[in-house]
Amino acid sequence: MTNYRLEELRTQIDRIDMQLLDLLNRRAAIVEEIGKEKDKQGTIKYDPVRERELLNRVAANNQGPFSTETLQHLFKQIFKISLKLQESDNSEMLLVSRKRHPQDTIVDIRGQKIGDGNKYFVAGPCSVESEEQVRATAAEIKKHGLTLLRGGAFKPRTSPYDFQGLGEEGLEILRKVADEFGLSVISEIMAPEDVEMSLKYVDVIQVGARNMQNFNLLKAVGRIKKPVLLKRGLSATIEEFKYAAEYILSQGNDQVILCERGIRTYERATRNTLDITAVPILKQETHLPVAVDVTHSTGRRDIMIPAAKAAIAIGADMVMAEVHPDPSVALSDSQQQMDFRQFDTFMDALKPVVFS
Ligand code: PEP
Ligand code: MN
């Protein structure tokens, strides 16, 4: 073959490649149109019967030299990426998506505007144990100028024989003490039927990690008009976390704070693995404020300061930490709660970073 002939054939190939490129993108544009129509009609995207027909048509019309099997494989890939194209459009349409709602959502907790660019702290005991315990802790957090008091009244414990929390009595204590100090209350509710009852006590309902996919609870807190702090599930992907928040927004409540609290990995040096990069990813992909729970993610008092600094540096709006007057006798999480002296050191280390 002369060089001239080779050049000529290559020119033909180049032209065909450009035609293929053009055809593929024209096909993709039509696929997107079909996706929008299907969205309007509410029909599902994947249609295996139609896909089978297209593959049969490839077989019937194939003249070679490629084998039918090879071409069907190739077309199958085209179908796959086409479906992806329709689905990615779909995920951008989620209510939590920043593409759909570019402005930051601000969650208003009695005038504290989470997501406004300032940094907020929420602190308090793992469990509400007594009025005295909550009052001492409230005084401690007030001393540092903080306004958000946490405390568990309904505790999701691994063992049914461990302390389960004081229930409604715990919420009553939180409300009473918070009012004495002018603080807001954040507390976990585990059952959809308790949501209504909790509204007279709490300012923010926490949905715990173990309930991130309790879809009835998510729908129930979606129907109320109070902020929700949604914690990431123990083994939830960021996508699953976003869909959990979507459940809440889909019911009309957009006052949602996403809380990264560590995920379960093979690593045992920390209680969980703090997925710090989840913070900027959630900030980029959603419009919701993001919190980091440095207590449950690390399970280690000795690294809470750097973990909190990292959370703030990477863009978290809020840091959550557990503090207890006497952690060694706490009824839950006694290993990881800070005592007041440690909390003073924690806040003294963070204040210059946050309020400079
Ligand atoms: C809590 O914050 O009290 C708690 C139980 O945390 P998590 O749901 O993240 O385990
Ligand atoms: Mn705890």
Side-chain angles (χ1 to χ4, degrees), residues 202-228:
V202 304
D203 301 298
V204 180
I205 289 188
Q206 178 169 316
V207 173
R210 288 155 194 81
N211 274 309
M212 190 205 81
Q213 285 187 318
N214 179 341
F215 299 115
N216 287 334
L217 179 63
L218 297 175
K219 286 186 201 164
V221 298
R223 288 191 289 266
I224 61 169
K225 297 218 167 355
K226 283 227 171 156
V228 176

mmCIF file of all heavy atoms in Angstrom, residues 202-228:
data_model
loop_
_atom_site.group_PDB
_atom_site.id
_atom_site.type_symbol
_atom_site.label_atom_id
_atom_site.label_comp_id
_atom_site.label_asym_id
_atom_site.label_seq_id
_atom_site.Cartn_x
_atom_site.Cartn_y
_atom_site.Cartn_z
ATOM 1 N N VAL A 202 -38.737 20.873 72.172
ATOM 2 C CA VAL A 202 -37.459 21.031 71.444
ATOM 3 C C VAL A 202 -37.528 22.158 70.409
ATOM 4 O O VAL A 202 -38.595 22.511 69.929
ATOM 5 C CB VAL A 202 -37.036 19.711 70.725
ATOM 6 C CG1 VAL A 202 -36.956 18.558 71.699
ATOM 7 C CG2 VAL A 202 -37.953 19.378 69.567
ATOM 8 N N ASP A 203 -36.341 22.689 70.095
ATOM 9 C CA ASP A 203 -36.244 23.686 69.021
ATOM 10 C C ASP A 203 -35.727 23.052 67.749
ATOM 11 O O ASP A 203 -35.953 23.565 66.655
ATOM 12 C CB ASP A 203 -35.312 24.822 69.461
ATOM 13 C CG ASP A 203 -35.836 25.489 70.720
ATOM 14 O OD1 ASP A 203 -36.940 26.041 70.665
ATOM 15 O OD2 ASP A 203 -35.162 25.407 71.773
ATOM 16 N N VAL A 204 -34.987 21.949 67.902
ATOM 17 C CA VAL A 204 -34.478 21.201 66.748
ATOM 18 C C VAL A 204 -34.673 19.719 67.041
ATOM 19 O O VAL A 204 -34.279 19.245 68.116
ATOM 20 C CB VAL A 204 -32.958 21.451 66.527
ATOM 21 C CG1 VAL A 204 -32.455 20.675 65.322
ATOM 22 C CG2 VAL A 204 -32.663 22.933 66.375
ATOM 23 N N ILE A 205 -35.266 19.009 66.104
ATOM 24 C CA ILE A 205 -35.378 17.554 66.265
ATOM 25 C C ILE A 205 -34.156 16.911 65.616
ATOM 26 O O ILE A 205 -33.829 17.200 64.459
ATOM 27 C CB ILE A 205 -36.661 17.018 65.595
ATOM 28 C CG1 ILE A 205 -37.873 17.469 66.402
ATOM 29 C CG2 ILE A 205 -36.622 15.492 65.473
ATOM 30 C CD1 ILE A 205 -39.180 16.858 65.959
ATOM 31 N N GLN A 206 -33.495 16.066 66.381
ATOM 32 C CA GLN A 206 -32.371 15.320 65.806
ATOM 33 C C GLN A 206 -32.872 13.969 65.316
ATOM 34 O O GLN A 206 -33.617 13.279 66.021
ATOM 35 C CB GLN A 206 -31.300 15.130 66.879
ATOM 36 C CG GLN A 206 -30.106 14.316 66.417
ATOM 37 C CD GLN A 206 -28.973 14.384 67.432
ATOM 38 O OE1 GLN A 206 -28.647 15.446 67.966
ATOM 39 N NE2 GLN A 206 -28.359 13.248 67.708
ATOM 40 N N VAL A 207 -32.492 13.624 64.087
ATOM 41 C CA VAL A 207 -32.721 12.260 63.600
ATOM 42 C C VAL A 207 -31.354 11.589 63.657
ATOM 43 O O VAL A 207 -30.402 12.041 63.010
ATOM 44 C CB VAL A 207 -33.291 12.251 62.159
ATOM 45 C CG1 VAL A 207 -33.364 10.832 61.617
ATOM 46 C CG2 VAL A 207 -34.678 12.901 62.132
ATOM 47 N N GLY A 208 -31.241 10.566 64.456
ATOM 48 C CA GLY A 208 -29.942 9.947 64.713
ATOM 49 C C GLY A 208 -29.459 9.069 63.566
ATOM 50 O O GLY A 208 -30.222 8.717 62.661
ATOM 51 N N ALA A 209 -28.162 8.729 63.660
ATOM 52 C CA ALA A 209 -27.532 7.936 62.600
ATOM 53 C C ALA A 209 -28.297 6.633 62.333
ATOM 54 O O ALA A 209 -28.489 6.232 61.182
ATOM 55 C CB ALA A 209 -26.097 7.629 63.006
ATOM 56 N N ARG A 210 -28.744 6.007 63.416
ATOM 57 C CA ARG A 210 -29.422 4.713 63.249
ATOM 58 C C ARG A 210 -30.801 4.855 62.632
ATOM 59 O O ARG A 210 -31.425 3.872 62.239
ATOM 60 C CB ARG A 210 -29.504 3.994 64.600
ATOM 61 C CG ARG A 210 -28.146 3.481 65.045
ATOM 62 C CD ARG A 210 -28.057 3.337 66.557
ATOM 63 N NE ARG A 210 -26.660 3.170 66.953
ATOM 64 C CZ ARG A 210 -25.795 4.179 67.081
ATOM 65 N NH1 ARG A 210 -26.177 5.419 66.860
ATOM 66 N NH2 ARG A 210 -24.542 3.944 67.426
ATOM 67 N N ASN A 211 -31.293 6.064 62.573
ATOM 68 C CA ASN A 211 -32.624 6.294 61.998
ATOM 69 C C ASN A 211 -32.577 7.071 60.685
ATOM 70 O O ASN A 211 -33.613 7.535 60.221
ATOM 71 C CB ASN A 211 -33.496 7.049 63.008
ATOM 72 C CG ASN A 211 -34.162 6.083 63.972
ATOM 73 O OD1 ASN A 211 -34.793 5.118 63.548
ATOM 74 N ND2 ASN A 211 -33.993 6.317 65.252
ATOM 75 N N MET A 212 -31.366 7.191 60.112
ATOM 76 C CA MET A 212 -31.278 7.997 58.881
ATOM 77 C C MET A 212 -32.152 7.454 57.767
ATOM 78 O O MET A 212 -32.597 8.183 56.889
ATOM 79 C CB MET A 212 -29.833 8.097 58.404
ATOM 80 C CG MET A 212 -29.649 9.102 57.280
ATOM 81 S SD MET A 212 -28.231 8.778 56.211
ATOM 82 C CE MET A 212 -28.888 7.513 55.116
ATOM 83 N N GLN A 213 -32.404 6.151 57.802
ATOM 84 C CA GLN A 213 -33.287 5.584 56.774
ATOM 85 C C GLN A 213 -34.589 5.066 57.376
ATOM 86 O O GLN A 213 -35.215 4.155 56.826
ATOM 87 C CB GLN A 213 -32.566 4.510 55.975
ATOM 88 C CG GLN A 213 -31.572 5.130 54.989
ATOM 89 C CD GLN A 213 -30.952 4.134 54.052
ATOM 90 O OE1 GLN A 213 -30.594 3.034 54.464
ATOM 91 N NE2 GLN A 213 -30.802 4.496 52.786
ATOM 92 N N ASN A 214 -34.993 5.684 58.481
ATOM 93 C CA ASN A 214 -36.325 5.405 59.020
ATOM 94 C C ASN A 214 -37.265 6.341 58.255
ATOM 95 O O ASN A 214 -37.500 7.489 58.646
ATOM 96 C CB ASN A 214 -36.331 5.699 60.529
ATOM 97 C CG ASN A 214 -37.691 5.451 61.163
ATOM 98 O OD1 ASN A 214 -38.708 5.408 60.477
ATOM 99 N ND2 ASN A 214 -37.702 5.322 62.472
ATOM 100 N N PHE A 215 -37.758 5.843 57.134
ATOM 101 C CA PHE A 215 -38.439 6.728 56.183
ATOM 102 C C PHE A 215 -39.731 7.313 56.747
ATOM 103 O O PHE A 215 -40.080 8.446 56.425
ATOM 104 C CB PHE A 215 -38.676 5.994 54.858
ATOM 105 C CG PHE A 215 -37.370 5.562 54.222
ATOM 106 C CD1 PHE A 215 -37.053 4.216 54.064
ATOM 107 C CD2 PHE A 215 -36.444 6.497 53.818
ATOM 108 C CE1 PHE A 215 -35.842 3.830 53.512
ATOM 109 C CE2 PHE A 215 -35.225 6.131 53.264
ATOM 110 C CZ PHE A 215 -34.925 4.790 53.110
ATOM 111 N N ASN A 216 -40.405 6.579 57.614
ATOM 112 C CA ASN A 216 -41.616 7.145 58.216
ATOM 113 C C ASN A 216 -41.276 8.308 59.145
ATOM 114 O O ASN A 216 -41.996 9.304 59.202
ATOM 115 C CB ASN A 216 -42.398 6.081 58.987
ATOM 116 C CG ASN A 216 -43.081 5.119 58.027
ATOM 117 O OD1 ASN A 216 -43.371 5.488 56.881
ATOM 118 N ND2 ASN A 216 -43.319 3.893 58.468
ATOM 119 N N LEU A 217 -40.150 8.165 59.857
ATOM 120 C CA LEU A 217 -39.712 9.259 60.734
ATOM 121 C C LEU A 217 -39.309 10.475 59.884
ATOM 122 O O LEU A 217 -39.645 11.618 60.198
ATOM 123 C CB LEU A 217 -38.534 8.789 61.600
ATOM 124 C CG LEU A 217 -37.942 9.824 62.555
ATOM 125 C CD1 LEU A 217 -38.976 10.267 63.594
ATOM 126 C CD2 LEU A 217 -36.705 9.262 63.278
ATOM 127 N N LEU A 218 -38.580 10.218 58.791
ATOM 128 C CA LEU A 218 -38.157 11.321 57.917
ATOM 129 C C LEU A 218 -39.370 12.073 57.373
ATOM 130 O O LEU A 218 -39.404 13.299 57.347
ATOM 131 C CB LEU A 218 -37.295 10.791 56.758
ATOM 132 C CG LEU A 218 -35.972 10.137 57.158
ATOM 133 C CD1 LEU A 218 -35.275 9.537 55.940
ATOM 134 C CD2 LEU A 218 -35.037 11.144 57.843
ATOM 135 N N LYS A 219 -40.390 11.304 56.967
ATOM 136 C CA LYS A 219 -41.600 11.963 56.449
ATOM 137 C C LYS A 219 -42.292 12.750 57.557
ATOM 138 O O LYS A 219 -42.778 13.856 57.327
ATOM 139 C CB LYS A 219 -42.559 10.922 55.863
ATOM 140 C CG LYS A 219 -42.105 10.374 54.525
ATOM 141 C CD LYS A 219 -43.194 9.475 53.977
ATOM 142 C CE LYS A 219 -42.650 8.505 52.951
ATOM 143 N NZ LYS A 219 -43.554 7.396 52.685
ATOM 144 N N ALA A 220 -42.311 12.175 58.758
ATOM 145 C CA ALA A 220 -42.991 12.853 59.874
ATOM 146 C C ALA A 220 -42.292 14.172 60.209
ATOM 147 O O ALA A 220 -42.955 15.191 60.423
ATOM 148 C CB ALA A 220 -43.038 11.941 61.104
ATOM 149 N N VAL A 221 -40.948 14.179 60.245
ATOM 150 C CA VAL A 221 -40.268 15.444 60.565
ATOM 151 C C VAL A 221 -40.284 16.391 59.365
ATOM 152 O O VAL A 221 -40.048 17.591 59.501
ATOM 153 C CB VAL A 221 -38.814 15.253 61.095
ATOM 154 C CG1 VAL A 221 -38.832 14.474 62.388
ATOM 155 C CG2 VAL A 221 -37.905 14.601 60.068
ATOM 156 N N GLY A 222 -40.600 15.850 58.200
ATOM 157 C CA GLY A 222 -40.747 16.693 57.006
ATOM 158 C C GLY A 222 -42.045 17.490 57.030
ATOM 159 O O GLY A 222 -42.165 18.526 56.383
ATOM 160 N N ARG A 223 -43.006 16.998 57.804
ATOM 161 C CA ARG A 223 -44.312 17.673 57.830
ATOM 162 C C ARG A 223 -44.400 18.765 58.893
ATOM 163 O O ARG A 223 -45.385 19.474 58.956
ATOM 164 C CB ARG A 223 -45.425 16.631 58.047
ATOM 165 C CG ARG A 223 -45.662 15.741 56.821
ATOM 166 C CD ARG A 223 -46.929 14.920 56.966
ATOM 167 N NE ARG A 223 -46.770 13.876 57.957
ATOM 168 C CZ ARG A 223 -46.408 12.613 57.690
ATOM 169 N NH1 ARG A 223 -46.203 12.241 56.432
ATOM 170 N NH2 ARG A 223 -46.280 11.726 58.649
ATOM 171 N N ILE A 224 -43.353 18.880 59.734
ATOM 172 C CA ILE A 224 -43.435 19.882 60.811
ATOM 173 C C ILE A 224 -42.733 21.167 60.385
ATOM 174 O O ILE A 224 -42.092 21.227 59.337
ATOM 175 C CB ILE A 224 -42.817 19.351 62.126
ATOM 176 C CG1 ILE A 224 -41.339 19.018 61.909
ATOM 177 C CG2 ILE A 224 -43.615 18.171 62.639
ATOM 178 C CD1 ILE A 224 -40.572 18.737 63.164
ATOM 179 N N LYS A 225 -42.838 22.165 61.249
ATOM 180 C CA LYS A 225 -42.239 23.453 60.910
ATOM 181 C C LYS A 225 -41.082 23.780 61.846
ATOM 182 O O LYS A 225 -40.893 24.916 62.245
ATOM 183 C CB LYS A 225 -43.301 24.556 60.991
ATOM 184 C CG LYS A 225 -44.442 24.392 60.019
ATOM 185 C CD LYS A 225 -44.901 25.702 59.447
ATOM 186 C CE LYS A 225 -45.813 25.599 58.241
ATOM 187 N NZ LYS A 225 -46.047 24.270 57.694
ATOM 188 N N LYS A 226 -40.334 22.766 62.230
ATOM 189 C CA LYS A 226 -39.174 23.001 63.107
ATOM 190 C C LYS A 226 -37.933 22.468 62.408
ATOM 191 O O LYS A 226 -38.016 21.509 61.632
ATOM 192 C CB LYS A 226 -39.345 22.224 64.412
ATOM 193 C CG LYS A 226 -40.303 22.864 65.359
ATOM 194 C CD LYS A 226 -39.768 22.938 66.773
ATOM 195 C CE LYS A 226 -40.734 23.803 67.544
ATOM 196 N NZ LYS A 226 -40.743 23.593 68.936
ATOM 197 N N PRO A 227 -36.780 23.066 62.729
ATOM 198 C CA PRO A 227 -35.542 22.556 62.138
ATOM 199 C C PRO A 227 -35.254 21.105 62.535
ATOM 200 O O PRO A 227 -35.664 20.651 63.603
ATOM 201 C CB PRO A 227 -34.477 23.487 62.714
ATOM 202 C CG PRO A 227 -35.192 24.720 63.108
ATOM 203 C CD PRO A 227 -36.570 24.281 63.522
ATOM 204 N N VAL A 228 -34.553 20.435 61.639
ATOM 205 C CA VAL A 228 -34.176 19.031 61.857
ATOM 206 C C VAL A 228 -32.665 18.913 61.681
ATOM 207 O O VAL A 228 -32.115 19.465 60.721
ATOM 208 C CB VAL A 228 -34.875 18.122 60.818
ATOM 209 C CG1 VAL A 228 -34.415 16.675 60.970
ATOM 210 C CG2 VAL A 228 -36.392 18.220 60.943
#
